[in-house]
PDB file of all heavy atoms in Angstrom:
ATOM      1  N   MET B 162     112.766  43.439  61.697  1.00  0.00           N
ATOM      2  CA  MET B 162     113.450  43.905  62.858  1.00  0.00           C
ATOM      3  C   MET B 162     115.011  43.905  62.723  1.00  0.00           C
ATOM      4  O   MET B 162     115.640  44.863  63.210  1.00  0.00           O
ATOM      5  CB  MET B 162     113.097  43.090  64.084  1.00  0.00           C
ATOM      6  CG  MET B 162     111.644  43.391  64.641  1.00  0.00           C
ATOM      7  SD  MET B 162     111.633  45.081  65.359  1.00  0.00           S
ATOM      8  CE  MET B 162     110.039  44.963  66.132  1.00  0.00           C
ATOM      9  N   THR B 163     115.492  42.885  62.136  1.00  0.00           N
ATOM     10  CA  THR B 163     116.974  42.745  62.043  1.00  0.00           C
ATOM     11  C   THR B 163     117.483  43.886  61.225  1.00  0.00           C
ATOM     12  O   THR B 163     118.537  44.504  61.550  1.00  0.00           O
ATOM     13  CB  THR B 163     117.397  41.427  61.413  1.00  0.00           C
ATOM     14  OG1 THR B 163     116.539  41.215  60.207  1.00  0.00           O
ATOM     15  CG2 THR B 163     117.162  40.263  62.350  1.00  0.00           C
ATOM     16  N   GLU B 164     116.755  44.244  60.112  1.00  0.00           N
ATOM     17  CA  GLU B 164     117.238  45.268  59.308  1.00  0.00           C
ATOM     18  C   GLU B 164     117.118  46.712  60.042  1.00  0.00           C
ATOM     19  O   GLU B 164     118.007  47.519  59.912  1.00  0.00           O
ATOM     20  CB  GLU B 164     116.439  45.303  58.013  1.00  0.00           C
ATOM     21  CG  GLU B 164     116.861  46.371  56.982  1.00  0.00           C
ATOM     22  CD  GLU B 164     118.340  46.268  56.594  1.00  0.00           C
ATOM     23  OE1 GLU B 164     118.916  45.176  56.536  1.00  0.00           O
ATOM     24  OE2 GLU B 164     118.899  47.452  56.384  1.00  0.00           O
ATOM     25  N   ILE B 165     116.030  46.837  60.749  1.00  0.00           N
ATOM     26  CA  ILE B 165     115.902  48.130  61.503  1.00  0.00           C
ATOM     27  C   ILE B 165     117.013  48.200  62.621  1.00  0.00           C
ATOM     28  O   ILE B 165     117.551  49.265  62.719  1.00  0.00           O
ATOM     29  CB  ILE B 165     114.494  48.118  62.243  1.00  0.00           C
ATOM     30  CG1 ILE B 165     113.420  48.143  61.148  1.00  0.00           C
ATOM     31  CG2 ILE B 165     114.312  49.282  63.147  1.00  0.00           C
ATOM     32  CD1 ILE B 165     111.984  47.908  61.661  1.00  0.00           C
ATOM     33  N   ALA B 166     117.291  47.076  63.194  1.00  0.00           N
ATOM     34  CA  ALA B 166     118.284  47.148  64.265  1.00  0.00           C
ATOM     35  C   ALA B 166     119.647  47.481  63.628  1.00  0.00           C
ATOM     36  O   ALA B 166     120.437  48.301  64.234  1.00  0.00           O
ATOM     37  CB  ALA B 166     118.339  45.782  64.898  1.00  0.00           C
ATOM     38  N   THR B 167     119.988  46.878  62.528  1.00  0.00           N
ATOM     39  CA  THR B 167     121.273  47.229  61.947  1.00  0.00           C
ATOM     40  C   THR B 167     121.330  48.704  61.496  1.00  0.00           C
ATOM     41  O   THR B 167     122.307  49.386  61.788  1.00  0.00           O
ATOM     42  CB  THR B 167     121.395  46.390  60.524  1.00  0.00           C
ATOM     43  OG1 THR B 167     121.258  44.946  60.916  1.00  0.00           O
ATOM     44  CG2 THR B 167     122.786  46.546  59.927  1.00  0.00           C
ATOM     45  N   ALA B 168     120.267  49.159  60.942  1.00  0.00           N
ATOM     46  CA  ALA B 168     120.280  50.561  60.441  1.00  0.00           C
ATOM     47  C   ALA B 168     120.398  51.553  61.651  1.00  0.00           C
ATOM     48  O   ALA B 168     121.100  52.575  61.548  1.00  0.00           O
ATOM     49  CB  ALA B 168     119.003  50.922  59.679  1.00  0.00           C
ATOM     50  N   LEU B 169     119.701  51.265  62.726  1.00  0.00           N
ATOM     51  CA  LEU B 169     119.786  52.159  63.889  1.00  0.00           C
ATOM     52  C   LEU B 169     120.933  51.805  64.839  1.00  0.00           C
ATOM     53  O   LEU B 169     121.093  52.492  65.822  1.00  0.00           O
ATOM     54  CB  LEU B 169     118.505  52.042  64.649  1.00  0.00           C
ATOM     55  CG  LEU B 169     117.196  52.433  63.903  1.00  0.00           C
ATOM     56  CD1 LEU B 169     115.941  52.287  64.839  1.00  0.00           C
ATOM     57  CD2 LEU B 169     117.255  53.730  63.307  1.00  0.00           C
ATOM     58  N   ASN B 170     121.737  50.781  64.425  1.00  0.00           N
ATOM     59  CA  ASN B 170     122.901  50.430  65.260  1.00  0.00           C
ATOM     60  C   ASN B 170     122.466  50.070  66.694  1.00  0.00           C
ATOM     61  O   ASN B 170     123.165  50.503  67.590  1.00  0.00           O
ATOM     62  CB  ASN B 170     123.964  51.466  65.203  1.00  0.00           C
ATOM     63  CG  ASN B 170     125.300  50.938  65.602  1.00  0.00           C
ATOM     64  OD1 ASN B 170     125.625  49.830  65.290  1.00  0.00           O
ATOM     65  ND2 ASN B 170     126.101  51.678  66.433  1.00  0.00           N
ATOM     66  N   ILE B 171     121.471  49.279  66.777  1.00  0.00           N
ATOM     67  CA  ILE B 171     121.053  48.799  68.108  1.00  0.00           C
ATOM     68  C   ILE B 171     120.876  47.306  67.965  1.00  0.00           C
ATOM     69  O   ILE B 171     120.734  46.758  66.886  1.00  0.00           O
ATOM     70  CB  ILE B 171     119.783  49.464  68.631  1.00  0.00           C
ATOM     71  CG1 ILE B 171     118.680  49.450  67.540  1.00  0.00           C
ATOM     72  CG2 ILE B 171     120.045  50.939  69.017  1.00  0.00           C
ATOM     73  CD1 ILE B 171     117.362  50.107  68.058  1.00  0.00           C
ATOM     74  N   THR B 172     120.689  46.576  69.113  1.00  0.00           N
ATOM     75  CA  THR B 172     120.407  45.135  69.025  1.00  0.00           C
ATOM     76  C   THR B 172     118.942  44.910  68.642  1.00  0.00           C
ATOM     77  O   THR B 172     118.131  45.780  68.717  1.00  0.00           O
ATOM     78  CB  THR B 172     120.601  44.533  70.400  1.00  0.00           C
ATOM     79  OG1 THR B 172     119.740  45.026  71.330  1.00  0.00           O
ATOM     80  CG2 THR B 172     122.032  44.628  70.899  1.00  0.00           C
ATOM     81  N   VAL B 173     118.736  43.736  68.106  1.00  0.00           N
ATOM     82  CA  VAL B 173     117.339  43.428  67.671  1.00  0.00           C
ATOM     83  C   VAL B 173     116.416  43.610  68.894  1.00  0.00           C
ATOM     84  O   VAL B 173     115.289  44.062  68.750  1.00  0.00           O
ATOM     85  CB  VAL B 173     117.311  41.949  67.149  1.00  0.00           C
ATOM     86  CG1 VAL B 173     115.859  41.554  66.770  1.00  0.00           C
ATOM     87  CG2 VAL B 173     118.052  41.878  65.855  1.00  0.00           C
ATOM     88  N   ASN B 174     116.919  43.165  70.026  1.00  0.00           N
ATOM     89  CA  ASN B 174     116.062  43.190  71.236  1.00  0.00           C
ATOM     90  C   ASN B 174     115.754  44.740  71.552  1.00  0.00           C
ATOM     91  O   ASN B 174     114.624  45.039  71.915  1.00  0.00           O
ATOM     92  CB  ASN B 174     116.735  42.611  72.416  1.00  0.00           C
ATOM     93  CG  ASN B 174     115.892  42.305  73.569  1.00  0.00           C
ATOM     94  OD1 ASN B 174     114.592  41.908  73.316  1.00  0.00           O
ATOM     95  ND2 ASN B 174     116.237  42.656  74.757  1.00  0.00           N
ATOM     96  N   SER B 175     116.771  45.589  71.457  1.00  0.00           N
ATOM     97  CA  SER B 175     116.460  47.048  71.681  1.00  0.00           C
ATOM     98  C   SER B 175     115.456  47.594  70.689  1.00  0.00           C
ATOM     99  O   SER B 175     114.662  48.418  71.021  1.00  0.00           O
ATOM    100  CB  SER B 175     117.780  47.878  71.564  1.00  0.00           C
ATOM    101  OG  SER B 175     118.713  47.398  72.562  1.00  0.00           O
TER     102      SER B 175
END
Side-chain angles (χ1 to χ4, degrees):
Chain B
M162 282 292 188
T163 49
E164 181 55 37
I165 295 169
T167 305
L169 301 183
N170 198 38
I171 52 180
T172 62
V173 173
N174 195 43
S175 300

